[in-house]
């Protein structure tokens, strides 16, 4: 969810920067420059240029306040005050930085997804192993119970045989006494 919000913010920032760049690098701006350029009458700033700067600054300011981006707000302020070549460079640098951040976020998301999947597989494997061990424990308990009952039965049979052996010995002794008489 956080990743999606950051992606959306990056997209809005890139759109705003692209719009500002379009205003600055548009055909109207170039036409105006070529029509009004006269080396003898070089002005430090024209009102038309100033209006374009203000428009670009307003677009960036609106988007900056909408997405709460201090970088865009700073860029909007620079557009208002600085020469366009520096602003274009700042915009290009900002786009490059946003693309780098986007790549880093994509790598981080992929890493998280891979780790989550690995964790899920390990959990399922351990759960199957646990179920197998529980079944084995139950099987061994049943075997112990059966063997305990068999031991008890054998002990009872041994006791019965000892009693019978004792009686047989007594009977033989009686018969031996009768025979000797």
């Amino acid at each position: 969810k956080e990743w999606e919000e950051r992606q959306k913010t990056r997209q809005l920032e890139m759109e705003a920067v692209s719009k500002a760049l379009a205003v600055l690098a548009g055909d109207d701006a170039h036409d105006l420059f070529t029509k009004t350029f006269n080396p003898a009458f070089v002005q430090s700033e024209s009102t038309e240029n100033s209006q374009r700067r203000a428009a670009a600054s307003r677009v960036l300011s609106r988007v900056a306040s909408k997405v709460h981006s201090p970088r865009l707000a700073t860029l909007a302020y620079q557009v208002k005050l600085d020469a366009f070549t520096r602003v274009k460079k700042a915009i290009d640098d900002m786009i490059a930085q946003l693309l780098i951040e986007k790549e880093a976020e994509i790598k981080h998301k992929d890493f998280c997804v891979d780790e989550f999947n690995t964790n899920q597989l390990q959990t399922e494997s351990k759960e199957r192993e646990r179920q197998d061990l529980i079944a084995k424990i139950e099987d061994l308990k049943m075997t112990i119970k059966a063997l305990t009952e068999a031991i008890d039965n054998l002990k009872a049979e041994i006791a019965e045989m000892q009693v019978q052996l004792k009686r047989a010995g007594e009977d033989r002794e009686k018969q031996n006494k009768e025979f000797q008489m």
Side-chain angles (χ1 to χ4, degrees), residues 14-125:
M14 289 199 311
E15 286 176 19
V17 168
S18 297
K19 285 179 185 177
L21 198 56
V23 169
L24 298 176
D27 290 337
D28 292 338
H30 287 290
D31 290 343
L32 180 66
F33 178 74
T34 56
K35 286 180 188 176
T36 59
F37 182 70
N38 185 347
F41 300 111
V42 174
Q43 260 183 291
S44 62
E45 185 176 326
S46 72
T47 57
E48 187 72 27
N49 214 3
S50 170
Q51 289 172 355
R52 290 197 192 299
R53 247 189 239 186
S57 176
R58 279 193 301 275
V59 168
L60 288 171
S61 293
R62 267 188 256 124
V63 173
S65 64
K66 184 176 181 181
V67 297
H68 305 293
S69 173
R71 288 187 292 184
L72 273 180
T74 303
L75 186 61
Y77 187 71
Q78 286 177 343
V79 166
K80 197 181 278 188
L81 298 179
D82 292 345
F84 278 116
T85 54
R86 287 178 34 195
V87 171
K88 285 181 183 179
K89 182 177 178 349
I91 288 173
D92 290 339
D93 292 345
M94 185 179 227
I95 288 174
Q97 183 63 32
L98 289 173
L99 290 174
I100 290 170
E101 287 178 14
K102 179 181 176 182
E103 288 297 317
E105 287 176 5
I106 288 172
K107 283 182 184 177
H108 183 69
K109 181 185 179 202
D110 291 344
F111 170 76
C112 289
V113 168
D114 288 344
E115 286 298 310
F116 181 77
N117 289 338
T118 302
N119 189 1
Q120 186 74 22
L121 289 174
Q122 288 175 347
T123 302
E124 289 172 3
S125 172

